[in-house]
Amino acid sequence: MQSARNHGVIIVAAGRGERASGPGMGPKQYRHLGGRAVIARTLDAFRAWRSEIPIVVVRHADDETLLREALAEEANGVLVVTGGATRQESVLRGLEALHRLETPPQFALIHDAARPFVTNGLLDAISAALEEQSDAGVIPALPVAETIKSADPAGHITATVPRAGLYRAQTPQAFALEDILEVHRRAAAEAGTEFTDDASLYEWAGMPVRIVPGDAANIKLTWPGDFEEAERMLASDQKPTLPDVRVGHGYDTHQLVPGDHVTLCGVEIAHDRRLSGHSDADVGFHALTDALLATVGEGDIGSHFPPSDPQWKGAASHIFLSHAAKLVRDAGGRITHCDVTLICEAPKIGPHRDAMRASIASVVGIGVERVSVKATTNERIGFIGREEGIVAMATATAVFPFEGEAQ
């Protein structure tokens, strides 16, 4: 199977969507469907397929606030660019943005923001077709089932069009990034025609395009009735969507020895002692690392970074925490909350609490409002009370796509 980084996604969201929206309702990609913005559902569909796939959203120049409100935390890791006067120009800007990435993907999947029901099965079929014939574009399409008529401006039928070999094109349409970018650049410079989809540009350039079977559920929300149908689809979905919420716990302790500072949750605090350990002995980060690893059943920090390995001597513990967070994301999880409790007599944690929360949020990749840091003493009891060591306890919460059936 091709890796996430072998693919990149362009979500085209620069249109006005006037046919689907009534007065004051705004562009259709920002309307709510089942309580969530359409574009957020579309983004989720690709994240569910490949959790770390690079995604470019091409928005209208006037929609910065609408997009920010629609995506909220889902915007993490999304590259946003401003679209042009036409869909074709907007797609070109998205392709240029993918091309400028430090490691550009091999393939680009170009998708309408208003198609929120794209499935893993359809995306897998497109990916397999790309792998089989990388020099051809790939589009999902459905055979035309209805009788097709052509008519004059007055509405009088002029001909019945044979439907054999006719298809209704869907998105995402997928191409080798370098090829589709070059074709778009040529069309922008040479062609006087506005192309209705990206496969049309390949056809204009004399390049092959393959069809894979489309999905009838992969509807494009174009008319008001489409939203009604989409709500019915959500309400009648036969796959139960029980939330897969996992909570992991972590615990760590390190001995205090003479020194000049301690590092807790990534923050250096002046102190007359230091924590002794093979790395920087950051008990807060260590406990939280174990908590995150627990949500994906990946053992403990020692199994990934053994203290017997000299390369981790004196290492900054954000390395360990970042690794654990990546494992959660790679497993399809979304980290929703982190909580750390520090137990010590000294130093005082309160003055550094906000810095610790910001440090955790930055390493894990979540909003600081989803991070809690608390502290308590041990009332001078035991080794903590004697200031011989510091203990940290942590809890991490992550939500994963539900893959089973309700029981």
Side-chain angles (χ1 to χ4, degrees):
M1 180 179 292
Q2 298 174 8
S3 69
R5 289 292 169 180
N6 213 29
H7 303 76
V9 176
I10 298 167
I11 296 178
V12 187
R16 298 292 77 198
E18 296 173 350
R19 290 173 293 183
S21 299
M25 299 186 72
K28 62 187 177 184
Q29 58 268 36
Y30 304 112
R31 285 183 57 180
H32 277 208
L33 180 62
R36 299 189 64 223
V38 169
I39 192 170
R41 289 185 175 277
T42 303
L43 185 68
D44 282 351
F46 285 98
R47 289 251 175 90
W49 181 55
R50 301 280 193 274
S51 62
E52 293 214 353
I53 194 168
I55 297 176
V56 176
V57 172
V58 187
R59 63 162 173 81
H60 191 276
D62 297 337
D63 292 349
E64 179 180 0
T65 300
L66 284 173
L67 181 63
R68 183 173 61 250
E69 292 175 349
L71 296 188
E73 291 183 8
E74 286 87 349
N76 291 336
V78 173
L79 179 61
V80 178
V81 298
T82 302
T86 65
R87 182 187 187 279
Q88 187 175 323
E89 185 178 347
S90 294
V91 172
L92 176 55
R93 293 185 182 185
L95 291 168
E96 297 282 10
L98 269 186
H99 183 68
R100 288 193 298 268
L101 293 177
E102 184 176 351
T103 306
Q106 182 181 358
F107 299 110
L109 281 67
I110 304 167
H111 190 64
D112 298 323
R115 289 188 189 267
F117 295 112
V118 61
T119 63
N120 285 4
L122 182 58
L123 294 171
D124 285 342
I126 293 170
S127 178
L130 285 171
E131 189 170 7
E132 183 177 300
Q133 188 179 354
S134 61
D135 64 338
V138 177
I139 72 167
L142 294 170
V144 172
E146 300 86 354
T147 298
I148 303 298
K149 304 286 187 179
S150 63
D152 62 24
H156 298 109
I157 293 173
T158 58
T160 298
V161 180
R163 66 190 182 203
L166 294 183
Y167 289 83
R168 294 185 289 125
Q170 299 182 324
T171 68
Q173 300 188 354
F175 313 86
L177 174 59
E178 295 297 331
D179 291 343
I180 189 63
L181 177 57
E182 177 59 27
V183 170
H184 260 278
R185 287 171 174 169
R186 280 181 52 200
E190 302 174 17
T193 303
E194 178 63 28
F195 296 94
T196 57
D197 71 351
D198 301 287
S200 300
L201 276 82
Y202 250 44
E203 297 162 34
W204 168 77
M207 302 175 71
V209 182
R210 295 180 57 186
I211 286 177
V212 297
D215 184 348
N218 183 28
I219 63 172
K220 184 177 182 180
L221 304 178
T222 303
W223 306 99
D226 295 333
F227 277 84
E228 297 172 9
E229 175 63 20
E231 292 286 0
R232 286 192 290 269
M233 289 170 63
L234 289 175
S236 63
D237 186 359
Q238 296 303 304
K239 286 187 65 178
T241 54
L242 297 177
D244 182 5
V245 180
R246 306 179 194 176
V247 179
H249 300 280
Y251 173 95
D252 194 44
T253 183
H254 280 279
Q255 182 181 11
L256 284 165
V257 297
D260 59 7
H261 75 277
V262 294
T263 300
L264 296 171
C265 296
V267 177
E268 189 174 298
I269 304 172
H271 192 45
D272 61 359
R273 303 186 187 188
R274 65 176 177 85
L275 287 165
S276 176
H278 187 64
S279 63
D280 63 4
D282 186 334
V283 290
F285 272 6
H286 291 187
L288 187 54
T289 297
D290 275 352
L292 286 170
L293 291 173
T295 66
V296 285
E298 283 285 349
D300 57 29
I301 191 171
S303 60
H304 293 263
F305 305 96
S308 58
D309 190 335
Q311 71 172 309
W312 307 121
K313 184 172 178 59
S317 294
H318 69 78
I319 298 171
F320 313 148
L321 184 58
S322 177
H323 173 76
K326 182 178 185 300
L327 289 179
V328 175
R329 291 193 296 271
D330 287 348
R334 179 181 302 165
I335 301 167
T336 59
H337 189 257
C338 293
D339 175 51
V340 177
T341 300
L342 298 166
I343 308 172
C344 60
E345 303 297 330
K348 295 293 185 184
I349 301 302
H352 309 283
R353 188 190 318 275
D354 288 343
M356 292 180 183
R357 293 175 65 215
S359 173
I360 293 170
S362 176
V363 176
V364 173
I366 60 176
V368 71
E369 72 280 0
R370 294 180 176 271
V371 178
S372 170
V373 173
K374 309 187 299 295
T376 186
T377 70
N378 215 42
E379 299 294 339
R380 295 291 174 184
I381 300 169
F383 76 91
I384 299 173
R386 295 190 297 271
E387 298 188 43
E388 296 173 0
I390 294 178
V391 165
M393 297 185 294
T395 301
T397 305
V399 179
F400 294 77
F402 179 74
E403 297 179 352
E405 293 293 332
Q407 301 297 316

